[in-house]
Amino acid sequence: NALIEEHGMIVTFTDFLIPFLKRIGVMWLVGTVRPCQEHFMSSIIRQKLIASFDKLPVPALDKKSVLLFLPENEWHELGLLFYNYTLRENGQRTVYLGQSMPYDALIDCIIDLKPKAIVTSWLTVSDSKRISKYFTKLKKDIGDIPIYVGGSQISENKESLADYIEIKDLFDLTNI
């Protein structure tokens, strides 16, 4: 709370929470932090992001939205919540679908909403062919809507994905 009060949510997340989460990840890998402790800390951060988001003004309903979701079986939500916060703080209208979105339901939602852009993230380790196939199909199914993607799995597979998605620093979403 003190960090958010002093620095705001964006600086708190990028300068303090991301380094903290990286340290927790290493500690989890070497066994000095148990999964329940990591989940507890992530839950607190999640609550703070949602509470900060709820304090932001609601953009005009006539603005085209940015759609945010996580692919099916992807549960790492903190980055996506932060992207949602960043977009809304910059006056964007957002539709947040959350974790593990079934593909067919996602396509139905895109058809209904006609968003101006899509934002997602992929952190869970997955076969690079599966990731490439997912985004190839998504781009084919949605046409010209830009897809912005972050996450470690995207960074590791960016060459095979470059024709389908926009890989950029999702911590700067001011020009979507």
Side-chain angles (χ1 to χ4, degrees):
N1 286 338
L3 287 171
I4 294 168
E5 180 87 19
E6 183 177 345
H7 302 284
M9 178 51 75
I10 291 177
V11 171
T12 297
F13 194 86
T14 57
D15 293 0
F16 297 97
L17 295 178
I18 288 176
F20 172 73
L21 289 167
K22 286 180 180 178
R23 262 184 295 150
I24 294 300
V26 170
M27 293 170 73
W28 180 80
L29 287 172
V30 298
T32 57
V33 170
R34 295 186 311 221
C36 64
Q37 294 168 313
E38 185 268 338
H39 280 254
F40 176 72
M41 290 177 242
S42 294
S43 180
I44 290 171
I45 295 168
R46 182 179 183 277
Q47 291 170 24
K48 295 299 177 191
L49 279 164
I50 292 169
S52 294
F53 176 82
D54 280 343
K55 293 176 185 173
L56 296 173
V58 177
L61 290 176
D62 62 347
K63 290 181 101 172
K64 284 195 94 173
S65 62
V66 176
L67 183 71
L68 296 99
F69 76 98
L70 291 179
E72 216 161 344
N73 300 313
E74 178 61 68
W75 300 99
H76 296 90
E77 181 180 37
L78 293 181
L80 195 70
L81 284 167
F82 179 72
Y83 304 152
N84 193 40
Y85 177 86
T86 302
L87 287 162
R88 279 288 294 279
E89 187 176 72
N90 285 297
Q92 298 286 339
R93 184 169 165 242
T94 62
V95 175
Y96 187 85
L97 301 179
Q99 306 164 314
S100 192
M101 186 67 189
Y103 187 83
D104 290 340
L106 172 66
I107 297 303
D108 289 342
C109 189
I110 292 169
I111 290 168
D112 291 344
L113 290 174
K114 299 170 184 57
K116 70 177 184 175
I118 294 170
V119 174
T120 189
S121 179
W122 200 312
L123 287 163
T124 301
V125 175
S126 187
D127 182 303
S128 62
K129 289 179 184 173
R130 178 175 175 251
I131 296 170
S132 183
K133 183 179 174 183
Y134 182 90
F135 287 108
T136 301
K137 181 171 174 35
L138 182 60
K139 189 62 180 172
K140 180 180 172 252
D141 289 345
I142 67 168
D144 292 336
I145 300 171
I147 305 168
Y148 299 95
V149 184
S152 59
Q153 291 303 301
I154 302 306
S155 298
E156 291 178 21
N157 294 288
K158 60 184 166 188
E159 292 81 27
S160 64
L161 298 170
D163 292 339
Y164 309 104
I165 61 175
E166 305 231 7
I167 302 168
K168 58 183 278 181
D169 181 3
L170 287 181
F171 294 109
D172 179 20
L173 296 172
T174 55
N175 59 354
I176 287 184

